[in-house]
Amino acid sequence: MSIDEALLPGSDERLSAERAYELYWAELLGEEPHFACVGRGCEARLTCACLKKPEQTLLIRPYFRSYRLEDHAPGCEVVHGHAEPRAEKSADVFESERPADHFSRKTTATGVARRAAPAGGGGNTRPSPARPSHYYRLSSLVQKFLEHRRDHDLGEAPVTIGGETTTYEALFRNVYRQKVADHLQTRAVWWGTASLRATKDGGYYLRFARAFRHGEDLLKPTLTLTAKDIDAYPVRKLLRARLDKLIAEHDGYCVVFVWARPWMPKDAEKAFVRFYVDNLDHIDVRSPEILEELKNTSRITAPG
């Protein structure tokens, strides 16, 4: 059984599996972390599946699960369904920056929901308030994109990014043969297949396999991740594990997603396109196995 949220041991911090995944790879949870059920009056221990896997797909993703269902309290609403249904959920939110204390393990970015005292009497509880999913790593948003693509509701699924609300369909755009001059002011999640290699200084260089159009030219955008930026990144262990595995197992062939605007120089002798990111949360690089999950996703063009 998949469980959405859990408590950190010895605390009242309620966190998502995605948050636990980040804390683990930021080396803040130890090697064998355990969690507790958020149910009222329930002390069941939970584990987080896929916590140590650097790659993610529709099937490989972090989630909480029980060691044994019988460990939960008889009235636990998490596994026994006694809670009233939640109100309709609002748009997912992608935050462009993390709070300064995001990795302090004291407070989550959107506020901590604390465990309520055991309900008395008949055990009726108020419905939990609907809370939007707040994300900081683009990888989390890519997961939701894949889920909505699978469920055929990309056009109806809302997401707030950069302070503006749009749909997953409008937000995710394949670079393939789009006119770059039309999109120099378009900040979107651009994606496509790419080649990846390590640089001599400890960074990485990415070159898209498909190209933007610019007049008669086809321009393959590039992206550089510097060693300095990676070393300052709180989840650098996860990023390097993913990138090094792609180089070792797939010779650098990958699928890259980046939240950015395409950039072109004004006075260069030869035109080229680059993506720049000043926050490594804004890039997600995945194995070519994701192409199977994307094969039925049509190329997304700019709205109207």
Side-chain angles (χ1 to χ4, degrees):
M1 176 182 179
S2 176
I3 297 174
D4 294 333
E5 294 179 311
L7 295 172
L8 281 174
S11 78
D12 55 3
E13 181 179 354
R14 184 169 179 161
L15 71 166
S16 67
E18 173 63 23
R19 172 84 161 129
Y21 185 74
E22 287 190 333
L23 290 175
Y24 173 79
W25 283 97
E27 301 181 274
L28 294 174
L29 293 184
E31 278 303 308
E32 300 296 336
H34 298 284
F35 308 90
C37 181
V38 300
R40 291 171 174 82
C42 184
E43 301 294 336
R45 294 178 71 198
L46 307 178
T47 187
C48 188
C50 302
L51 193 68
K52 298 182 180 182
K53 293 184 178 293
E55 69 277 10
Q56 285 185 290
T57 67
L58 279 172
L59 298 178
I60 301 174
R61 59 177 181 80
Y63 64 92
F64 296 113
R65 59 180 174 82
S66 308
Y67 288 93
R68 300 183 309 170
L69 287 178
E70 54 265 35
D71 291 339
H72 290 267
C76 175
E77 70 276 12
V78 173
V79 297
H80 298 303
H82 297 321
E84 297 178 34
R86 290 176 180 264
E88 185 177 350
K89 190 176 175 182
S90 54
D92 293 327
V93 179
F94 182 73
E95 304 283 4
S96 60
E97 299 289 339
R98 296 176 188 264
D101 64 348
H102 189 66
F103 287 101
S104 69
R105 284 190 54 188
K106 293 180 180 178
T107 308
T108 59
T110 57
V112 175
R114 303 184 183 277
R115 185 202 297 264
N124 292 327
T125 62
R126 289 188 176 186
S128 300
R131 290 183 296 160
S133 297
H134 282 247
Y135 300 117
Y136 297 90
R137 287 188 311 119
L138 183 63
S139 180
S140 304
L141 217 60
V142 172
Q143 283 293 107
K144 295 299 292 287
F145 169 69
L146 294 174
E147 292 171 11
H148 289 302
R149 186 206 64 82
R150 176 198 62 198
D151 298 337
H152 305 290
D153 63 355
L154 285 171
E156 292 77 46
V159 55
T160 298
I161 186 168
E164 298 183 358
T165 299
T166 182
T167 65
Y168 279 87
E169 182 177 53
L171 178 63
F172 281 75
R173 308 184 184 200
N174 195 309
V175 304
Y176 182 52
R177 297 189 66 84
Q178 297 218 39
K179 294 175 64 176
V180 66
D182 293 343
H183 296 290
L184 294 178
Q185 300 302 316
T186 303
R187 189 166 194 176
V189 179
W190 295 100
W191 65 272
T193 55
S195 60
L196 165 71
R197 63 175 174 83
T199 61
K200 293 181 179 179
D201 67 350
Y204 299 89
Y205 177 82
L206 289 141
R207 180 181 177 85
F208 280 73
R210 296 294 183 93
F212 280 111
R213 288 186 295 133
H214 182 61
E216 298 299 319
D217 297 327
L218 295 177
L219 307 177
K220 297 179 179 180
T222 61
L223 176 65
T224 300
L225 309 180
T226 68
K228 180 180 178 181
D229 286 343
I230 294 172
D231 290 342
Y233 184 47
V235 202
R236 57 188 171 274
K237 183 179 178 182
L238 174 61
L239 179 61
R240 286 196 181 277
R242 286 188 174 186
L243 299 183
D244 290 343
K245 185 174 181 179
L246 286 168
I247 293 172
E249 296 185 1
H250 300 284
D251 198 27
Y253 182 53
C254 61
V255 179
V256 60
F257 298 80
V258 56
W259 185 47
R261 296 183 182 92
W263 178 85
M264 292 183 66
K266 293 182 179 179
D267 302 317
E269 291 184 7
K270 187 175 181 180
F272 61 88
V273 182
R274 283 183 183 160
F275 288 115
Y276 287 98
V277 291
D278 55 10
N279 184 337
L280 295 183
D281 281 331
H282 299 171
I283 183 171
D284 183 31
V285 185
R286 302 213 174 196
S287 79
E289 294 165 358
I290 196 180
L291 293 173
E292 182 66 22
E293 298 173 353
L294 288 166
K295 67 179 181 180
N296 295 324
T297 304
S298 61
R299 181 166 59 93
I300 300 169
T301 57

